[in-house]
Amino acid sequence: MLIFNTTYQISPGYFEEWVKWIKTEHIPFMLQSGKFTTPQLVKVMLHDETEGSSYSLQFKIKNMEELLYWQNEHGQAFESNCREKFGTEVLFFSTVLEVVDL
């Protein structure tokens, strides 16, 4: 099991618009592929938020093959959607995490 994690840095004054977009457009876009499950939005705890706030949106995905397939089919739209909507007011990067059984 993998976690597809995207961390967003949101400029002051854009959080309400961004979180509405996450809930009504972005999460449905990710889930409609059938590859991702279990969306989770968490706040990254920072001491200084004068430059904005940071949030991490995570989805579970079965394996790397499914992630690579999704990236080939939908990766460009994934990146374009946020950039077109928010420009440089919301910056983001994605990472892939592997769940390790304890």
Side-chain angles (χ1 to χ4, degrees):
M1 178 70 60
L2 301 176
I3 296 173
F4 183 69
N5 173 75
T6 303
T7 302
Y8 297 87
Q9 174 72 31
I10 304 144
S11 293
Y14 283 84
F15 176 76
E16 294 301 323
E17 182 181 358
W18 175 82
V19 79
K20 180 181 177 187
W21 173 78
I22 284 291
K23 291 178 180 180
T24 62
E25 295 181 42
H26 185 61
I27 290 175
F29 168 79
M30 297 295 285
L31 294 176
Q32 63 87 26
S33 72
K35 302 291 183 192
F36 295 100
T37 64
T38 323
Q40 177 176 310
L41 181 64
V42 296
K43 182 172 182 167
V44 178
M45 300 303 292
L46 302 172
H47 295 283
D48 180 13
E49 292 190 0
T50 57
E51 302 209 9
S53 53
S54 294
Y55 287 82
S56 171
L57 180 60
Q58 302 172 350
F59 294 89
K60 290 185 179 176
I61 189 164
K62 190 175 184 179
N63 55 45
M64 188 59 78
E65 291 78 24
E66 294 217 356
L67 179 58
L68 292 174
Y69 174 83
W70 178 85
Q71 286 178 325
N72 287 334
E73 295 294 317
H74 306 285
Q76 186 64 36
F78 163 77
E79 292 183 15
S80 296
N81 288 343
C82 187
R83 286 193 177 105
E84 289 173 10
K85 180 83 173 168
F86 299 103
T88 59
E89 300 301 333
V90 176
L91 304 176
F92 62 93
F93 65 92
S94 296
T95 54
V96 179
L97 310 169
E98 182 178 12
V99 176
V100 178
D101 293 327
L102 296 177

